[in-house]
PDB file of all heavy atoms in Angstrom:
ATOM      1  N   GLU S  10     -11.048   6.136  -1.640  1.00  0.00           N
ATOM      2  CA  GLU S  10     -10.764   7.029  -0.547  1.00  0.00           C
ATOM      3  C   GLU S  10     -10.543   6.277   0.778  1.00  0.00           C
ATOM      4  O   GLU S  10      -9.584   6.461   1.461  1.00  0.00           O
ATOM      5  CB  GLU S  10     -11.902   7.953  -0.341  1.00  0.00           C
ATOM      6  CG  GLU S  10     -11.697   9.048   0.845  1.00  0.00           C
ATOM      7  CD  GLU S  10     -12.914   9.887   1.100  1.00  0.00           C
ATOM      8  OE1 GLU S  10     -13.788  10.097   0.171  1.00  0.00           O
ATOM      9  OE2 GLU S  10     -12.958  10.515   2.195  1.00  0.00           O
ATOM     10  N   ALA S  11     -11.442   5.315   1.103  1.00  0.00           N
ATOM     11  CA  ALA S  11     -11.292   4.433   2.218  1.00  0.00           C
ATOM     12  C   ALA S  11     -10.055   3.690   2.209  1.00  0.00           C
ATOM     13  O   ALA S  11      -9.259   3.462   3.237  1.00  0.00           O
ATOM     14  CB  ALA S  11     -12.497   3.455   2.430  1.00  0.00           C
ATOM     15  N   ALA S  12      -9.651   3.167   0.983  1.00  0.00           N
ATOM     16  CA  ALA S  12      -8.380   2.386   0.775  1.00  0.00           C
ATOM     17  C   ALA S  12      -7.138   3.192   1.069  1.00  0.00           C
ATOM     18  O   ALA S  12      -6.144   2.789   1.638  1.00  0.00           O
ATOM     19  CB  ALA S  12      -8.302   1.789  -0.628  1.00  0.00           C
ATOM     20  N   ARG S  13      -7.184   4.442   0.614  1.00  0.00           N
ATOM     21  CA  ARG S  13      -6.055   5.449   0.921  1.00  0.00           C
ATOM     22  C   ARG S  13      -5.791   5.528   2.268  1.00  0.00           C
ATOM     23  O   ARG S  13      -4.748   5.677   2.834  1.00  0.00           O
ATOM     24  CB  ARG S  13      -6.300   6.712   0.216  1.00  0.00           C
ATOM     25  CG  ARG S  13      -6.110   6.725  -1.385  1.00  0.00           C
ATOM     26  CD  ARG S  13      -6.251   8.040  -2.024  1.00  0.00           C
ATOM     27  NE  ARG S  13      -6.242   7.932  -3.462  1.00  0.00           N
ATOM     28  CZ  ARG S  13      -5.231   7.761  -4.257  1.00  0.00           C
ATOM     29  NH1 ARG S  13      -3.991   7.660  -3.722  1.00  0.00           N
ATOM     30  NH2 ARG S  13      -5.330   7.682  -5.520  1.00  0.00           N
ATOM     31  N   VAL S  14      -6.946   5.772   3.070  1.00  0.00           N
ATOM     32  CA  VAL S  14      -6.826   5.962   4.564  1.00  0.00           C
ATOM     33  C   VAL S  14      -6.103   4.782   5.166  1.00  0.00           C
ATOM     34  O   VAL S  14      -5.141   4.994   6.005  1.00  0.00           O
ATOM     35  CB  VAL S  14      -8.245   6.119   5.170  1.00  0.00           C
ATOM     36  CG1 VAL S  14      -8.163   6.205   6.666  1.00  0.00           C
ATOM     37  CG2 VAL S  14      -8.817   7.465   4.777  1.00  0.00           C
ATOM     38  N   GLN S  15      -6.423   3.645   4.824  1.00  0.00           N
ATOM     39  CA  GLN S  15      -5.777   2.409   5.467  1.00  0.00           C
ATOM     40  C   GLN S  15      -4.431   2.240   4.989  1.00  0.00           C
ATOM     41  O   GLN S  15      -3.594   1.870   5.685  1.00  0.00           O
ATOM     42  CB  GLN S  15      -6.637   1.170   5.179  1.00  0.00           C
ATOM     43  CG  GLN S  15      -7.969   1.094   5.793  1.00  0.00           C
ATOM     44  CD  GLN S  15      -7.935   1.247   7.357  1.00  0.00           C
ATOM     45  OE1 GLN S  15      -6.942   0.984   8.004  1.00  0.00           O
ATOM     46  NE2 GLN S  15      -9.099   1.548   7.906  1.00  0.00           N
ATOM     47  N   LEU S  16      -4.139   2.483   3.788  1.00  0.00           N
ATOM     48  CA  LEU S  16      -2.788   2.383   3.178  1.00  0.00           C
ATOM     49  C   LEU S  16      -1.849   3.359   3.948  1.00  0.00           C
ATOM     50  O   LEU S  16      -0.693   3.040   4.230  1.00  0.00           O
ATOM     51  CB  LEU S  16      -2.766   2.657   1.704  1.00  0.00           C
ATOM     52  CG  LEU S  16      -2.833   1.460   0.733  1.00  0.00           C
ATOM     53  CD1 LEU S  16      -2.884   1.891  -0.660  1.00  0.00           C
ATOM     54  CD2 LEU S  16      -1.580   0.602   1.106  1.00  0.00           C
ATOM     55  N   ARG S  17      -2.338   4.611   4.197  1.00  0.00           N
ATOM     56  CA  ARG S  17      -1.434   5.681   4.862  1.00  0.00           C
ATOM     57  C   ARG S  17      -1.144   5.074   6.315  1.00  0.00           C
ATOM     58  O   ARG S  17      -0.104   5.337   6.823  1.00  0.00           O
ATOM     59  CB  ARG S  17      -2.209   6.913   4.913  1.00  0.00           C
ATOM     60  CG  ARG S  17      -2.149   7.641   3.599  1.00  0.00           C
ATOM     61  CD  ARG S  17      -2.494   9.138   3.796  1.00  0.00           C
ATOM     62  NE  ARG S  17      -3.845   9.304   4.161  1.00  0.00           N
ATOM     63  CZ  ARG S  17      -4.824   9.481   3.320  1.00  0.00           C
ATOM     64  NH1 ARG S  17      -4.582   9.632   2.114  1.00  0.00           N
ATOM     65  NH2 ARG S  17      -5.990   9.673   3.870  1.00  0.00           N
ATOM     66  N   ARG S  18      -2.114   4.420   6.891  1.00  0.00           N
ATOM     67  CA  ARG S  18      -1.907   3.882   8.211  1.00  0.00           C
ATOM     68  C   ARG S  18      -0.956   2.674   8.209  1.00  0.00           C
ATOM     69  O   ARG S  18      -0.140   2.486   9.117  1.00  0.00           O
ATOM     70  CB  ARG S  18      -3.167   3.489   8.826  1.00  0.00           C
ATOM     71  CG  ARG S  18      -3.199   2.818  10.122  1.00  0.00           C
ATOM     72  CD  ARG S  18      -4.528   2.598  10.739  1.00  0.00           C
ATOM     73  NE  ARG S  18      -5.174   3.700  11.171  1.00  0.00           N
ATOM     74  CZ  ARG S  18      -6.518   4.112  10.773  1.00  0.00           C
ATOM     75  NH1 ARG S  18      -7.063   3.442   9.785  1.00  0.00           N
ATOM     76  NH2 ARG S  18      -6.928   5.177  11.220  1.00  0.00           N
ATOM     77  N   VAL S  19      -1.214   1.743   7.336  1.00  0.00           N
ATOM     78  CA  VAL S  19      -0.518   0.492   7.365  1.00  0.00           C
ATOM     79  C   VAL S  19       0.904   0.437   6.577  1.00  0.00           C
ATOM     80  O   VAL S  19       1.847  -0.153   6.988  1.00  0.00           O
ATOM     81  CB  VAL S  19      -1.468  -0.655   6.812  1.00  0.00           C
ATOM     82  CG1 VAL S  19      -0.694  -2.053   6.742  1.00  0.00           C
ATOM     83  CG2 VAL S  19      -2.692  -0.822   7.598  1.00  0.00           C
ATOM     84  N   ALA S  20       0.881   1.114   5.370  1.00  0.00           N
ATOM     85  CA  ALA S  20       2.019   1.046   4.506  1.00  0.00           C
ATOM     86  C   ALA S  20       2.321   2.555   4.019  1.00  0.00           C
ATOM     87  O   ALA S  20       2.212   2.756   2.828  1.00  0.00           O
ATOM     88  CB  ALA S  20       1.880   0.128   3.423  1.00  0.00           C
ATOM     89  N   PRO S  21       2.700   3.481   4.875  1.00  0.00           N
ATOM     90  CA  PRO S  21       2.861   4.818   4.465  1.00  0.00           C
ATOM     91  C   PRO S  21       3.946   5.103   3.452  1.00  0.00           C
ATOM     92  O   PRO S  21       3.759   6.125   2.653  1.00  0.00           O
ATOM     93  CB  PRO S  21       3.045   5.624   5.814  1.00  0.00           C
ATOM     94  CG  PRO S  21       3.737   4.538   6.713  1.00  0.00           C
ATOM     95  CD  PRO S  21       2.987   3.226   6.378  1.00  0.00           C
ATOM     96  N   THR S  22       4.864   4.354   3.317  1.00  0.00           N
ATOM     97  CA  THR S  22       5.901   4.476   2.332  1.00  0.00           C
ATOM     98  C   THR S  22       5.739   3.853   0.894  1.00  0.00           C
ATOM     99  O   THR S  22       6.531   3.911  -0.017  1.00  0.00           O
ATOM    100  CB  THR S  22       7.371   4.057   2.823  1.00  0.00           C
ATOM    101  OG1 THR S  22       7.250   2.673   3.153  1.00  0.00           O
ATOM    102  CG2 THR S  22       7.663   4.817   4.148  1.00  0.00           C
ATOM    103  N   LEU S  23       4.676   3.094   0.902  1.00  0.00           N
ATOM    104  CA  LEU S  23       4.402   2.265  -0.346  1.00  0.00           C
ATOM    105  C   LEU S  23       3.491   3.137  -1.425  1.00  0.00           C
ATOM    106  O   LEU S  23       2.443   3.652  -0.940  1.00  0.00           O
ATOM    107  CB  LEU S  23       3.650   0.979   0.003  1.00  0.00           C
ATOM    108  CG  LEU S  23       3.467  -0.153  -1.008  1.00  0.00           C
ATOM    109  CD1 LEU S  23       4.833  -0.541  -1.517  1.00  0.00           C
ATOM    110  CD2 LEU S  23       2.741  -1.316  -0.468  1.00  0.00           C
ATOM    111  N   SER S  24       3.939   3.117  -2.535  1.00  0.00           N
ATOM    112  CA  SER S  24       3.139   3.855  -3.539  1.00  0.00           C
ATOM    113  C   SER S  24       1.938   3.218  -3.968  1.00  0.00           C
ATOM    114  O   SER S  24       1.831   2.078  -4.223  1.00  0.00           O
ATOM    115  CB  SER S  24       3.982   4.094  -4.829  1.00  0.00           C
ATOM    116  OG  SER S  24       3.136   4.561  -5.919  1.00  0.00           O
ATOM    117  N   PRO S  25       0.767   3.950  -3.741  1.00  0.00           N
ATOM    118  CA  PRO S  25      -0.610   3.303  -4.006  1.00  0.00           C
ATOM    119  C   PRO S  25      -0.740   2.950  -5.533  1.00  0.00           C
ATOM    120  O   PRO S  25      -1.525   2.091  -5.869  1.00  0.00           O
ATOM    121  CB  PRO S  25      -1.536   4.480  -3.722  1.00  0.00           C
ATOM    122  CG  PRO S  25      -0.788   5.321  -2.741  1.00  0.00           C
ATOM    123  CD  PRO S  25       0.557   5.291  -3.208  1.00  0.00           C
ATOM    124  N   GLU S  26       0.051   3.618  -6.375  1.00  0.00           N
ATOM    125  CA  GLU S  26      -0.111   3.294  -7.762  1.00  0.00           C
ATOM    126  C   GLU S  26       0.776   2.136  -8.264  1.00  0.00           C
ATOM    127  O   GLU S  26       0.643   1.724  -9.390  1.00  0.00           O
ATOM    128  CB  GLU S  26       0.180   4.553  -8.589  1.00  0.00           C
ATOM    129  CG  GLU S  26      -0.530   5.756  -8.118  1.00  0.00           C
ATOM    130  CD  GLU S  26      -2.038   5.543  -8.042  1.00  0.00           C
ATOM    131  OE1 GLU S  26      -2.619   4.835  -8.882  1.00  0.00           O
ATOM    132  OE2 GLU S  26      -2.590   6.074  -7.062  1.00  0.00           O
ATOM    133  N   ARG S  27       1.618   1.658  -7.448  1.00  0.00           N
ATOM    134  CA  ARG S  27       2.488   0.566  -7.822  1.00  0.00           C
ATOM    135  C   ARG S  27       1.659  -0.765  -7.999  1.00  0.00           C
ATOM    136  O   ARG S  27       0.656  -0.946  -7.262  1.00  0.00           O
ATOM    137  CB  ARG S  27       3.554   0.345  -6.638  1.00  0.00           C
ATOM    138  CG  ARG S  27       4.487  -0.814  -6.981  1.00  0.00           C
ATOM    139  CD  ARG S  27       5.425  -0.875  -5.829  1.00  0.00           C
ATOM    140  NE  ARG S  27       6.334  -2.093  -5.815  1.00  0.00           N
ATOM    141  CZ  ARG S  27       7.159  -2.450  -4.752  1.00  0.00           C
ATOM    142  NH1 ARG S  27       7.276  -1.585  -3.773  1.00  0.00           N
ATOM    143  NH2 ARG S  27       7.842  -3.508  -4.982  1.00  0.00           N
ATOM    144  N   THR S  28       2.034  -1.588  -8.971  1.00  0.00           N
ATOM    145  CA  THR S  28       1.258  -2.763  -9.188  1.00  0.00           C
ATOM    146  C   THR S  28       1.710  -3.701  -8.168  1.00  0.00           C
ATOM    147  O   THR S  28       2.818  -3.726  -7.505  1.00  0.00           O
ATOM    148  CB  THR S  28       1.537  -3.422 -10.566  1.00  0.00           C
ATOM    149  OG1 THR S  28       2.932  -3.700 -10.679  1.00  0.00           O
ATOM    150  CG2 THR S  28       1.034  -2.516 -11.581  1.00  0.00           C
ATOM    151  N   ALA S  29       0.803  -4.686  -7.674  1.00  0.00           N
ATOM    152  CA  ALA S  29       1.070  -5.638  -6.679  1.00  0.00           C
ATOM    153  C   ALA S  29       2.095  -6.680  -7.095  1.00  0.00           C
ATOM    154  O   ALA S  29       2.712  -7.239  -6.213  1.00  0.00           O
ATOM    155  CB  ALA S  29      -0.190  -6.343  -6.337  1.00  0.00           C
ATOM    156  N   ARG S  30       2.327  -6.758  -8.409  1.00  0.00           N
ATOM    157  CA  ARG S  30       3.261  -7.708  -8.978  1.00  0.00           C
ATOM    158  C   ARG S  30       4.738  -7.267  -8.384  1.00  0.00           C
ATOM    159  O   ARG S  30       5.040  -6.037  -8.631  1.00  0.00           O
ATOM    160  CB  ARG S  30       3.299  -7.781 -10.424  1.00  0.00           C
ATOM    161  CG  ARG S  30       4.304  -8.838 -11.028  1.00  0.00           C
ATOM    162  CD  ARG S  30       4.270  -8.842 -12.487  1.00  0.00           C
ATOM    163  NE  ARG S  30       3.034  -9.477 -13.088  1.00  0.00           N
ATOM    164  CZ  ARG S  30       2.035  -8.759 -13.579  1.00  0.00           C
ATOM    165  NH1 ARG S  30       2.169  -7.454 -13.687  1.00  0.00           N
ATOM    166  NH2 ARG S  30       0.958  -9.313 -14.017  1.00  0.00           N
ATOM    167  N   GLY S  31       5.566  -8.064  -7.888  1.00  0.00           N
ATOM    168  CA  GLY S  31       6.792  -7.716  -7.540  1.00  0.00           C
ATOM    169  C   GLY S  31       6.872  -7.162  -6.009  1.00  0.00           C
ATOM    170  O   GLY S  31       8.047  -6.845  -5.628  1.00  0.00           O
ATOM    171  N   LEU S  32       5.800  -7.068  -5.305  1.00  0.00           N
ATOM    172  CA  LEU S  32       5.920  -6.678  -3.930  1.00  0.00           C
ATOM    173  C   LEU S  32       6.752  -7.670  -3.020  1.00  0.00           C
ATOM    174  O   LEU S  32       6.713  -8.887  -3.366  1.00  0.00           O
ATOM    175  CB  LEU S  32       4.697  -6.590  -3.281  1.00  0.00           C
ATOM    176  CG  LEU S  32       3.585  -5.393  -3.702  1.00  0.00           C
ATOM    177  CD1 LEU S  32       2.241  -5.624  -3.135  1.00  0.00           C
ATOM    178  CD2 LEU S  32       4.199  -4.103  -3.512  1.00  0.00           C
ATOM    179  N   SER S  33       7.393  -7.217  -2.094  1.00  0.00           N
ATOM    180  CA  SER S  33       8.162  -8.175  -1.269  1.00  0.00           C
ATOM    181  C   SER S  33       7.244  -8.812  -0.305  1.00  0.00           C
ATOM    182  O   SER S  33       6.035  -8.412  -0.257  1.00  0.00           O
ATOM    183  CB  SER S  33       9.245  -7.322  -0.359  1.00  0.00           C
ATOM    184  OG  SER S  33       8.543  -6.508   0.606  1.00  0.00           O
ATOM    185  N   GLY S  34       7.620  -9.909   0.409  1.00  0.00           N
ATOM    186  CA  GLY S  34       6.736 -10.644   1.323  1.00  0.00           C
ATOM    187  C   GLY S  34       6.115  -9.652   2.295  1.00  0.00           C
ATOM    188  O   GLY S  34       4.906  -9.702   2.607  1.00  0.00           O
ATOM    189  N   GLY S  35       6.989  -8.802   2.932  1.00  0.00           N
ATOM    190  CA  GLY S  35       6.456  -7.939   3.926  1.00  0.00           C
ATOM    191  C   GLY S  35       5.581  -6.883   3.385  1.00  0.00           C
ATOM    192  O   GLY S  35       4.520  -6.495   4.039  1.00  0.00           O
ATOM    193  N   GLU S  36       5.752  -6.294   2.206  1.00  0.00           N
ATOM    194  CA  GLU S  36       4.901  -5.437   1.486  1.00  0.00           C
ATOM    195  C   GLU S  36       3.597  -6.043   1.202  1.00  0.00           C
ATOM    196  O   GLU S  36       2.492  -5.458   1.408  1.00  0.00           O
ATOM    197  CB  GLU S  36       5.515  -4.864   0.284  1.00  0.00           C
ATOM    198  CG  GLU S  36       6.663  -3.913   0.475  1.00  0.00           C
ATOM    199  CD  GLU S  36       7.450  -3.574  -0.704  1.00  0.00           C
ATOM    200  OE1 GLU S  36       7.468  -4.368  -1.755  1.00  0.00           O
ATOM    201  OE2 GLU S  36       8.153  -2.546  -0.768  1.00  0.00           O
ATOM    202  N   ALA S  37       3.565  -7.289   0.693  1.00  0.00           N
ATOM    203  CA  ALA S  37       2.327  -8.063   0.430  1.00  0.00           C
ATOM    204  C   ALA S  37       1.432  -8.181   1.640  1.00  0.00           C
ATOM    205  O   ALA S  37       0.232  -8.039   1.590  1.00  0.00           O
ATOM    206  CB  ALA S  37       2.654  -9.479  -0.274  1.00  0.00           C
ATOM    207  N   GLN S  38       2.081  -8.520   2.843  1.00  0.00           N
ATOM    208  CA  GLN S  38       1.523  -8.668   4.026  1.00  0.00           C
ATOM    209  C   GLN S  38       0.766  -7.385   4.423  1.00  0.00           C
ATOM    210  O   GLN S  38      -0.371  -7.405   4.919  1.00  0.00           O
ATOM    211  CB  GLN S  38       2.353  -9.171   5.157  1.00  0.00           C
ATOM    212  CG  GLN S  38       2.732 -10.611   5.122  1.00  0.00           C
ATOM    213  CD  GLN S  38       3.728 -10.973   6.158  1.00  0.00           C
ATOM    214  OE1 GLN S  38       4.885 -11.128   5.932  1.00  0.00           O
ATOM    215  NE2 GLN S  38       3.228 -11.194   7.386  1.00  0.00           N
ATOM    216  N   ALA S  39       1.469  -6.293   4.216  1.00  0.00           N
ATOM    217  CA  ALA S  39       0.902  -5.005   4.615  1.00  0.00           C
ATOM    218  C   ALA S  39      -0.240  -4.549   3.820  1.00  0.00           C
ATOM    219  O   ALA S  39      -1.284  -4.143   4.284  1.00  0.00           O
ATOM    220  CB  ALA S  39       1.919  -3.949   4.580  1.00  0.00           C
TER     221      ALA S  39
END
């Protein structure tokens, strides 16, 4: 739940269920 709150703040367009493999550099930073 805490992770979802921060994800919505930092990377609102990024799917939480997506695997981290294949993230762009900017997405990985977020």
Side-chain angles (χ1 to χ4, degrees):
E10 180 183 342
R13 287 187 189 278
V14 169
Q15 295 299 346
L16 265 176
R17 283 195 295 269
R18 174 180 286 121
V19 177
T22 63
L23 191 60
S24 169
E26 309 311 320
R27 181 178 169 185
T28 59
R30 182 184 291 109
L32 291 175
S33 70
E36 289 170 337
Q38 281 176 261

